[in-house]
Amino acid sequence: MTPRRRWAVLATVSAGLLLISVDMTVLYTALPTLTSDLGADASAKLWIINAYPLVMAGLLLGAGTLGDRVGHRRMYLIGLLVFGGASLLAAFAPDPAVLIAARALLAVGAAAMMPATLSLIRTTFDDERERGIAIGVWGSVAVCGAALGPIVGGLLLEFFWWGSVFLINVPVVVAALAATLLIAPRSSGRGDKPWDPVASLLVMVGLVGLVYAVKEVTQPTRSLPVVALALLVSALGFWLFVRRQNRREHPLIDFALLRDRRIMTGVIAAGLAMFATAGVQLVLTQRLQLVLGLSPLEAGLIVAAFALGSLPAGILGGALLHRWGVRPLMSGGMAVGAIGVALLLLLTPAGHGWLLPGLVLVGVGEGAAMVAASVAIISNAPAHRAGMAASVEEVSYELGSLTGVAVLGSVLTSLYTATVRLPDGAPEQAADSLDEAVAEAAVLPPAQGTALLDAATTAFDRGYQLALGITAAALVAGAVHAGLKLRGAPATAASEQADDGGAPPPDGDPPVPPGSAAHRP
């Protein structure tokens, strides 16, 4: 394949990845408007945001294995078609229930596409340095898509209705379909490789139970029996999944992959990076609009400063990773991200312009960490596990995003409802959320409305500061963990084999002579 075609393939799969990443966060700036137009309550808001990463995380493992079976090019094309159709449904959803269903269908398309993007990169780029740059671009697109989601949503809401944040996906899908058919390498897949949809269902049961437990435990009127039941359902789903995988000849996930410390450390780092990215963007965009009174576009422009740091850090990190190695980028990146979050926390009382340096630092740190995590996972997996390794990585991204939104969003709401002190005469529903308080304050007499807003924003800021504190602590823990686990570890499986004379890698695969066909993707 010519160099021009290789980079064209990268551009094509990056377009699909950009769609997936943007849709992860595009609703953050649209959420206040959407909530008002559809009449969504706090619970519906949580599921509108979480349906997408929840369903995707449940399907990704199965999608990667299915891609190995039918061919990753075909899976990418199918995913694009489903994603485009779901975008149309979401754009014209008449109520929260239809929008939640459409978001779940979007996740089905995204789950088909995501493992294919990384697997197509691995099969397209033979040279290790080129592959490092390509993975760096891939990781940067993933981070920047999540960072650009709020600004895309804000920009569209300046001129159109909230459904436009989904409708814009359709022309991109059409262009990506045409480009994929023209230039992506064909692959027939391995028809003898079985697919296990039951395992995907078990993962989703575990995830739904876990998210519901987080949502319930953070409610002021929590029900401990309900929390216990949700956790029991979650544990049962995950236990049955692990039990099923250990008994199957061709599992969705070979747990031997996770016994490689480099892969496992990359999985944890990728999850923590997305935990920070998704969680910080969610709470910050809500504060910028509901507390500081900025428009969706203004809030999106400020949050987009994240991309100013993540894009160059990801590309530069991918280009230099063969010299520096994974450890300094992964551990150092999360440490820099923690400093950026701490800066956001310290500058809470200052004007919104002072948030930019903190956001850029968070972007630099998470961009570098995610690229290092991608290389640690993909480069250390054997070639015949490429689809599985890609799925494991992307599951870690989605779980990180899911837990970031669920945990930090629930902490924000819970602390608000638990600590808000409504002034006399204020309606009780203002205690449910800051959205309700802002809406009620608009119809009260000026003095009462001002008093209500002061009480509501004070309570909201308590939850906002706690959410940022949790994020900074998680990144510090991740930086320390990566620094310790990767001490003395070679950058890739290939370098380890070169060092030890061809000893089998930690996942138990037989030794492969350097330079052989099996050594190449």
Side-chain angles (χ1 to χ4, degrees):
M1 184 180 294
T2 64
R4 179 178 296 179
R5 188 172 179 182
R6 286 199 298 271
W7 296 109
V9 170
L10 176 62
T12 301
V13 298
S14 294
L17 180 63
L18 187 66
L19 284 176
I20 297 168
S21 303
V22 166
D23 265 57
M24 188 72 66
T25 58
V26 72
L27 287 186
Y28 291 175
T29 45
L31 201 56
T33 303
L34 180 154
T35 299
S36 174
D37 289 355
L38 293 184
D41 58 19
S43 178
K45 283 165 58 180
L46 176 69
W47 290 107
I48 287 171
I49 294 292
N50 277 341
Y52 186 74
L54 181 67
V55 174
M56 201 189 314
L59 295 179
L60 274 172
L61 288 173
T65 305
L66 185 59
D68 289 338
R69 176 182 173 87
V70 305
H72 293 289
R73 179 178 181 268
R74 185 177 300 172
M75 281 293 289
Y76 187 65
L77 290 170
I78 292 171
L80 282 170
L81 288 171
V82 174
F83 200 89
S87 297
L88 286 172
L89 178 61
F92 299 101
D95 54 54
V98 174
L99 182 56
I100 292 169
R103 290 277 286 171
L105 188 58
L106 276 167
V108 174
M113 292 161 63
M114 274 197 81
T117 62
L118 208 49
S119 295
L120 285 171
I121 287 174
R122 175 157 187 168
T123 56
T124 300
F125 290 90
D126 296 327
D127 180 75
E128 184 177 352
R129 184 178 180 185
E130 278 194 353
R131 188 190 301 156
I133 295 173
I135 292 176
V137 172
W138 183 92
S140 298
V141 168
V143 175
C144 287
L148 292 175
I151 192 173
V152 170
L155 183 62
L156 289 171
L157 286 175
E158 285 288 305
F159 304 101
F160 307 104
W161 93 114
W162 61 263
S164 62
V165 302
F166 298 107
L167 200 59
I168 196 174
N169 293 339
V170 177
V172 181
V173 165
V174 172
L177 277 169
T180 304
L181 289 169
L182 288 173
I183 64 174
R186 295 180 179 273
S187 59
S188 59
R190 296 172 55 188
D192 59 336
K193 196 165 186 177
W195 180 50
D196 187 6
V198 174
S200 292
L201 179 62
L202 292 174
V203 170
M204 208 168 307
V205 168
L207 290 173
V208 170
L210 184 60
V211 171
Y212 193 86
V214 170
K215 171 185 170 294
E216 182 66 25
V217 81
T218 54
Q219 298 298 317
T221 56
R222 69 184 65 87
S223 169
L224 293 181
V226 171
V227 172
L229 180 61
L231 289 175
L232 180 62
V233 169
S234 176
L236 182 62
F238 287 132
W239 178 76
L240 289 174
F241 170 76
V242 173
R243 183 170 178 264
R244 183 178 180 86
Q245 297 310 290
N246 287 333
R247 293 187 172 189
R248 291 182 69 85
E249 183 180 357
H250 299 284
L252 291 185
I253 176 171
D254 181 356
F255 289 105
L257 281 175
L258 301 182
R259 289 199 288 271
D260 186 316
R261 57 175 169 154
R262 297 158 301 185
I263 293 178
M264 189 63 196
T265 303
V267 167
I268 294 172
L272 285 174
M274 281 307 299
F275 176 93
T277 299
V280 167
Q281 287 185 341
L282 175 66
V283 300
L284 182 56
T285 51
Q286 299 305 294
R287 185 175 189 273
L288 289 172
Q289 293 181 79
L290 297 174
V291 175
L292 300 184
L294 301 186
S295 70
L297 177 58
E298 291 170 330
L301 286 170
I302 290 172
V303 174
F306 181 93
L308 296 178
S310 62
L311 181 60
I315 295 176
L316 185 62
L320 297 178
L321 198 140
H322 68 289
R323 293 184 182 177
W324 294 354
V326 168
R327 182 174 179 245
L329 283 177
M330 191 185 298
S331 181
M334 284 189 284
V336 171
I339 294 171
V341 174
L343 193 57
L344 292 176
L345 181 58
L346 293 172
L347 294 177
T348 297
H352 54 266
W354 290 98
L355 298 173
L356 299 179
L359 282 168
V360 171
L361 272 181
V362 176
V364 168
E366 302 318 298
M370 289 179 73
V371 167
S374 296
V375 172
I377 296 168
I378 298 302
S379 296
N380 290 299
H384 68 282
R385 296 295 197 198
M388 183 182 291
S391 294
V392 167
E393 177 184 7
E394 286 143 6
V395 166
S396 69
Y397 285 146
E398 301 314 315
L399 284 179
S401 176
L402 176 65
T403 53
V405 170
V407 172
L408 300 184
S410 296
V411 164
L412 190 67
T413 301
S414 177
L415 203 57
Y416 171 85
T417 55
T419 63
V420 66
R421 298 293 179 262
L422 299 179
D424 294 338
E428 292 185 2
Q429 56 264 36
D432 294 339
S433 68
L434 184 56
D435 305 74
E436 291 283 356
V438 170
E440 295 295 339
V443 298
L444 291 175
Q448 283 185 299
T450 301
L452 173 57
L453 284 178
D454 288 343
T457 54
T458 298
F460 182 91
D461 275 348
R462 293 191 188 102
Y464 170 79
Q465 290 166 358
L466 178 59
L468 291 185
I470 292 171
T471 304
L475 288 175
V476 169
V480 173
H481 175 266
L484 293 175
K485 286 293 184 180
L486 296 179
R487 182 183 298 169
T492 65
S495 62
E496 180 182 48
Q497 288 187 8
D499 291 342
D500 63 17
D507 59 15
D509 289 308
V512 181
S516 68
H519 229 299
R520 297 190 295 272

